């Protein structure tokens, strides 16, 4: 590891935010949303605020979290808000002491009510929309983040192994979904990344279909899209399996999706536009005659939120940086028949991409 990269890896997230302030014309950054507080402080709480300046950082929270915050948070002074001393009161102290004139805030997360409160109560400074400062940092994962994402992914993969033994004709989509969630928790997950998608047969043509009371049957595909949270970071994966047997068309569609995923992942590397990755996969599907049945993007960013940062969709017109973590999930969805989606998670590198998945992708027919 070169010296510059080593220094970056050893910096706290607060320091990384502080380094970006000048580039965004800010004296300080106010961090208020749960995902960004988790990223900045490496500490999960349902309430709080961080203020980051070039000279120091502050993290404020209430009595529910203050003791743990003081033990766990590094690189910031810790303060407690109460019924008499609000978060904006504490923020005003920092603003005055540090001479903050331009204060960045998370415009993409703030409610109108919160913005109006800050505008009224934060004194002597201008509120500047600056969500992009945090998104720029979150887009590039450090080694600790990647290790956590991989660990979360292994939990989901263990649950997949478990559920494959559970699936039998007659089991309902809801039962399969419930079992997936149960097994992820048993393997150490904190919670779901999102509500699992488990759809079978004709329901599989709905990319974000909701598990129903429909029993699975022989000759059907089952698409399972699921993930879990570990230490605040999300896993996400999709596998489509068959029950009993597949038709010639089902086999063709499955392998077309698999080929499209490989084409997208082979195209992915630092500096490539997200839409170029999508187009590589979409071309494979279109050339096979199924272009009208692939309507969503190839992939999305992943981290402390299941959708974050830069992705690989038709509208993704920014180059992906090295260290970005992006899903690779093309699909074909034929109304009234079935659907197929295969999803891996890839890390973007300087010369290519690598999958963090270990779960196999060959067509699996459950007997």
């Amino acid at each position: 590891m070169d010296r510059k990269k080593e220094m970056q890896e050893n910096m706290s997230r607060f320091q990384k935010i502080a380094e970006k302030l000048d580039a965004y014309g800010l004296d300080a950054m106010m961090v208020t949303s749960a995902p960004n507080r988790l990223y900045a402080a490496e500490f999960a709480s349902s309430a709080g605020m961080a203020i980051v300046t070039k000279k120091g950082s502050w993290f404020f929270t209430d009595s529910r979290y203050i003791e743990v915050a003081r033990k766990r948070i590094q690189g910031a002074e810790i303060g407690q808000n109460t019924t008499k001393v609000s978060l904006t009161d504490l923020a005003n102290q920092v603003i005055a002491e540090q001479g903050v004139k331009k204060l960045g805030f998370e415009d993409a997360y703030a409610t109108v009510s919160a913005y109006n409160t800050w505008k009224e109560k934060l004194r002597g400074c201008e509120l500047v929309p600056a969500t992009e400062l945090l998104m720029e940092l979150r887009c590039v994962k450090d080694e600790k983040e990647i290790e956590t994402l991989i660990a979360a992914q292994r939990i989901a993969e263990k649950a997949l192994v478990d559920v494959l033994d559970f699936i039998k004709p007659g089991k309902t989509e809801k039962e399969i979904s419930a079992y997936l969630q149960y097994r992820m928790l048993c393997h150490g997950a904190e919670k779901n990344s999102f509500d699992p998608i488990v759809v079978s047969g004709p329901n599989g043509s709905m990319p974000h279909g909701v598990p129903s009371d429909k029993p699975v049957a022989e000759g059907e595909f089952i698409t399972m899209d699921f993930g879990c949270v570990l230490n605040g970071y999300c896993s996400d994966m999709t596998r489509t399996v068959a029950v009993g047997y597949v038709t010639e068309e089902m086999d063709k569609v499955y392998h077309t999706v698999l080929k499209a995923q490989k084409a997208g992942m082979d195209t992915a590397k630092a500096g490539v536009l997200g839409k170029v990755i999508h187009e590589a996969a979409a071309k494979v599907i279109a050339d096979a005659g199924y272009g009208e049945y692939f309507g969503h993007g190839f992939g999305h960013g992943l981290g402390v939120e299941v959708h974050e940062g830069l992705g690989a969709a038709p509208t993704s017109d920014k180059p992906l940086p090295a260290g970005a973590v992006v899903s690779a999930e093309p699909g074909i969805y034929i109304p009234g028949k079935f659907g197929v989606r295969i999803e891996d998670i890839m890390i973007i590198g300087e010369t290519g991409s690598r999958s963090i998945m270990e779960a196999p992708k060959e067509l699996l027919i459950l007997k």
Side-chain angles (χ1 to χ4, degrees):
M1 183 184 297
D2 62 53
R3 181 63 177 164
K4 183 177 180 181
K5 185 174 181 181
E6 184 178 6
M7 290 176 65
Q8 282 287 324
E9 288 287 347
N10 291 330
M11 291 173 67
S12 74
R13 307 268 174 80
F14 293 117
Q15 288 173 311
K16 291 179 180 180
I17 294 170
E19 276 207 336
K20 292 285 185 183
L21 293 174
D22 283 342
Y24 284 82
L26 301 174
D27 299 312
M29 182 72 205
M30 178 173 63
V31 183
T32 53
S33 70
N36 283 320
R37 280 188 283 107
L38 189 152
Y39 170 79
E42 300 183 57
F43 175 74
S45 61
S46 63
M49 172 191 288
I51 302 287
V52 181
T53 76
K54 284 170 273 190
K55 294 181 181 179
S57 300
W58 290 259
F59 187 93
F60 308 127
T61 191
D62 61 37
S63 61
R64 294 170 295 172
Y65 303 104
I66 191 66
E67 184 177 357
V68 181
R70 284 175 173 149
K71 290 178 181 178
R72 292 188 185 176
I73 296 176
Q74 303 293 318
E77 294 185 32
I78 310 301
Q80 181 179 344
N81 61 293
T82 66
T83 55
K84 295 182 179 180
V85 181
S86 68
L87 288 172
T88 51
D89 290 334
L90 294 170
N92 275 323
Q93 292 176 21
V94 175
I95 290 166
E97 290 170 2
Q98 299 297 315
V100 174
K101 299 301 180 186
K102 290 186 178 293
L103 178 65
F105 76 99
E106 300 168 71
D107 51 303
Y109 291 85
T111 63
V112 173
S113 175
Y115 175 76
N116 287 336
T117 296
W118 298 332
K119 193 172 180 181
E120 175 190 352
K121 295 187 176 182
L122 294 178
R123 297 186 295 272
C125 65
E126 175 189 352
L127 288 168
V128 180
T131 303
E132 282 304 309
L133 184 155
L134 296 165
M135 291 300 100
E136 183 182 346
L137 289 170
R138 281 173 54 186
C139 190
V140 178
K141 270 58 179 182
D142 59 33
E143 286 304 313
K144 182 178 179 181
E145 290 179 289
I146 290 172
E147 288 172 5
T148 305
L149 286 165
I150 291 173
Q153 194 55 59
R154 294 296 170 266
I155 290 173
E157 290 174 341
K158 288 177 182 177
L160 174 66
V161 172
D162 295 339
V163 84
L164 293 179
D165 287 334
F166 177 80
I167 294 172
K168 298 288 187 297
K171 295 288 187 183
T172 69
E173 295 170 349
K174 282 184 177 179
E175 288 173 327
I176 295 168
S177 173
Y179 192 72
L180 269 173
Q181 295 174 69
Y182 167 67
R183 294 311 301 168
M184 285 191 288
L185 291 171
C186 287
H187 289 302
E190 295 165 8
K191 58 183 179 180
N192 298 328
S193 300
F194 52 92
D195 292 335
I197 298 165
V198 177
V199 284
S200 61
N203 289 348
S205 67
M206 297 178 282
H208 275 200
V210 177
S212 72
D213 291 319
K214 176 193 172 300
V216 302
E218 289 200 356
E220 291 185 337
F221 274 136
I222 306 171
T223 296
M224 297 172 287
D225 188 342
F226 58 100
C228 68
V229 175
L230 179 68
N231 296 331
Y233 282 77
C234 301
S235 60
D236 187 6
M237 66 180 296
T238 306
R239 288 295 184 265
T240 299
V241 300
V243 180
Y245 64 91
V246 294
T247 65
E248 184 177 337
E249 182 182 31
M250 290 167 71
D251 185 272
K252 178 184 177 183
V253 167
Y254 188 93
H255 287 97
T256 298
V257 172
L258 191 59
K259 183 179 177 182
Q261 189 199 50
K262 184 177 186 303
M265 294 179 74
D266 286 348
T267 303
K269 64 179 180 179
V272 173
L273 303 183
K275 66 181 181 181
V276 173
I277 299 169
H278 172 88
E279 288 163 2
K283 183 178 186 305
V284 171
I285 292 173
D287 288 349
Y290 295 102
E292 66 182 294
Y293 302 120
F294 176 34
H296 59 74
F298 179 81
H300 57 83
L302 185 78
V304 297
E305 294 180 283
V306 76
H307 290 94
E308 69 172 40
L310 301 177
T315 56
S316 301
D317 57 0
K318 293 182 179 179
L320 292 171
V325 175
V326 181
S327 70
E329 51 178 307
I332 293 174
Y333 314 93
I334 305 175
K337 289 188 175 182
F338 58 82
V340 173
R341 180 166 65 257
I342 305 168
E343 178 184 16
D344 284 9
I345 301 300
M346 59 181 179
I347 300 171
I348 306 300
E350 294 290 352
T351 59
S353 70
R354 68 180 176 95
S355 172
I356 66 172
M357 315 289 279
E358 291 184 350
K361 293 185 288 188
E362 66 266 15
L363 175 56
L364 180 60
I365 302 175
L366 303 178
K367 300 294 187 180

